[in-house]
């Protein structure tokens, strides 16, 4: 039914049955209403036309009975409608006599990752991001539980949020991070790495083949200039990869995990060392990277540098995991009150200033007046 401006449209309904006996037949009621004499309803048995039920304008319901030979048949109703014409057909009370078995042309359970809310649906509906269906034949998709996520449609499972990330409710399609990562030093004392300043996309970082990477540690949305997409929509991820021969970015890792390193209190005050890593996995799959792209950023404590990450090579046999070193203050632990020495000024008109001067090798302001 409906109005089709220029296109000719054929709508079909098929039904298979196995019948036996001399009285086997099919009967049904139908009604059509069209304007063009070229429009009409046709009935076919096993692909062979049996009768042209109607053409042109009609608004009177009719009943048809057609005998069937014993055996298995595919019964088809085909409604033809010319472009530029409005029309419809109704079909009801389909009765098959002498039936042994039969049903729709084919009934298949919905695959995992999809569902059908009612029996007899023409198509299965994909589970939306944040939901999943683990088995075939599901009538609904289930929300991912808190601190798990599913970041794509057709998900068959939810993935746990990694260390340093979380969700705030069920049905999440990505994990949040407050960019405050906790660890302990060699003596068991708590350490905080505070990356909250990294709220913008960082990049581009160029590898040995002039491919480009960009990172968004604290946000789950990449800068559209650094990570352009074919439809101009933002790329939701923590990293992107733009191949030299391509104008568009792919996801280079959207699952963020804080990976602590062995902390050496002795070495960190002498030579900047790797203190922790940020692992980014679950990137886009490509013919060259069937398991998905990923990246590993090793943070190096260096209070005198705020440079971009440096490409160091690949960390997997397929070349799909890129390794980076990031030497900056972000790799240093956050300062605590114990890292500051109190220096008090002389009194001036009854007032004096108390300054907190940083003594430790940590990430924080050098002087905090109060």
């Amino acid at each position: 039914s409906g109005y089709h401006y220029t296109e000719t449209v054929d709508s079909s309904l098929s039904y298979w049955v196995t019948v036996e006996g001399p009285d086997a037949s099919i009967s049904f009621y139908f009604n059509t209403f069209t304007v063009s004499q070229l429009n009409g309803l046709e009935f076919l048995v096993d692909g062979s036309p049996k009768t042209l039920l109607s053409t042109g304008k009609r608004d009177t319901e009719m009943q048809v009975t057609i005998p069937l030979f014993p055996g298995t048949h595919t019964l088809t109703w085909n409604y033809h409608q010319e472009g530029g014409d409005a029309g419809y057909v109704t079909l009801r009370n389909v009765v098959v006599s002498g039936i042994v078995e039969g049903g729709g042309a084919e009934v298949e359970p919905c695959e995992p990752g999809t569902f059908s809310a009612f029996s007899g649906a023409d198509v299965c509906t994909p589970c939306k991001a944040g939901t999943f269906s683990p088995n075939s034949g599901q009538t609904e998709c289930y929300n991912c539980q808190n601190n798990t996520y599913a970041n794509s449609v057709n998900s068959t499972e939810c993935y746990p949020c990694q260390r340093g990330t979380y969700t705030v409710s069920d049905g999440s399609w990505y994990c949040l991070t407050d960019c405050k990562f906790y660890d302990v030093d060699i003596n068991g004392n708590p350490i905080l790495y505070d990356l909250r300043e990294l709220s913008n996309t960082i990049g581009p970082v160029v590898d040995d083949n002039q491919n480009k990477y960009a990172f968004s540690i604290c946000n789950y949305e990449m800068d559209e200039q650094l990570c352009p997409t074919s439809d101009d929509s933002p790329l939701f991820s923590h990293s992107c990869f733009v191949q030299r021969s391509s104008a568009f970015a792919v996801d280079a890792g959207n699952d963020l995990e804080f990976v602590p390193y062995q902390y050496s209190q002795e070495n960190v005050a002498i030579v900047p060392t790797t203190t922790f890593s940020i692992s980014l996995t679950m990137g886009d799959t490509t013919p060259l990277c069937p398991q998905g792209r990923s990246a590993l950023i090793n943070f190096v404590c260096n209070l005198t540098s705020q440079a971009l990450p440096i490409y160091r090579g690949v960390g997997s046999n397929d070349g799909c995991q890129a390794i980076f070193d990031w030497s900056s203050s972000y790799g240093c632990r956050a300062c605590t009150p114990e890292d500051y020495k109190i220096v008090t000024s002389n009194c001036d008109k009854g007032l004096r200033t108390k300054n907190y001067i940083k003594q430790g090798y940590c990430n924080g302001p050098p002087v905090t007046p109060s």
Side-chain angles (χ1 to χ4, degrees), residues 83-97:
D85 188 15
Y88 65 85
V89 60
T90 62
L91 182 68
R92 70 178 184 89
N93 285 31
V94 178
V95 178
V96 179
S97 301

Side-chain angles (χ1 to χ4, degrees), residues 14-129:
S14 294
Y15 187 88
W16 72 267
V17 292
T18 299
V19 296
E20 62 182 16
D23 298 326
S25 65
I26 179 172
S27 66
F28 53 88
Y29 291 85
F30 74 95
N31 189 11
T32 61
F33 181 85
T34 65
V35 175
S36 173
Q37 293 296 321
L38 298 177
N39 299 346
L41 178 66
E42 186 178 33
F43 180 69
L44 303 91
V45 177
D46 301 326
S48 298
K50 290 301 178 182
T51 181
L52 183 63
L53 299 178
S54 67
T55 57
K57 184 174 181 179
R58 179 185 296 275
D59 196 17
T60 303
E61 188 173 66
M62 296 182 64
Q63 183 183 20
V64 172
T65 300
I66 297 174
L68 298 173
F69 291 107
T72 299
H73 303 285
T74 298
L75 312 177
T76 303
W77 294 262
N78 186 77
Y79 174 64
H80 176 84
Q81 183 168 303
E82 291 290 304
D85 188 15
Y88 65 85
V89 60
T90 62
L91 182 68
R92 70 178 184 89
N93 285 31
V94 178
V95 178
V96 179
S97 301
I99 190 168
V100 177
E101 61 176 342
E106 187 173 4
V107 178
E108 295 182 350
C110 291
E111 295 182 354
T114 66
F115 77 102
S116 174
F118 56 91
S119 177
D122 293 331
V123 296
C124 298
T125 303
C127 293
K128 65 180 182 180

Side-chain angles (χ1 to χ4, degrees), residues 1 46-47 77 91 105 150 190 208 278 280 287 301 323 332 342 349 351:
S1 67
D46 301 326
W77 294 262
L91 182 68
D208 296 341
I278 295 294
L280 303 170
C301 179
I323 307 295
C332 303
I342 300 176
K349 298 180 181 179
L351 299 174

Side-chain angles (χ1 to χ4, degrees), residues 348-364:
D348 181 13
K349 298 180 181 179
L351 299 174
R352 63 183 178 184
T353 300
K354 183 184 294 184
N355 290 312
Y356 294 84
I357 310 299
K358 185 170 69 173
Q359 303 291 304
Y361 200 81
C362 56
N363 185 12

Side-chain angles (χ1 to χ4, degrees), residues 205 308-312 323-326:
V205 180
L308 290 175
I310 298 174
Y311 176 77
R312 291 302 187 194
I323 307 295
F324 302 86
D325 287 345
W326 196 346

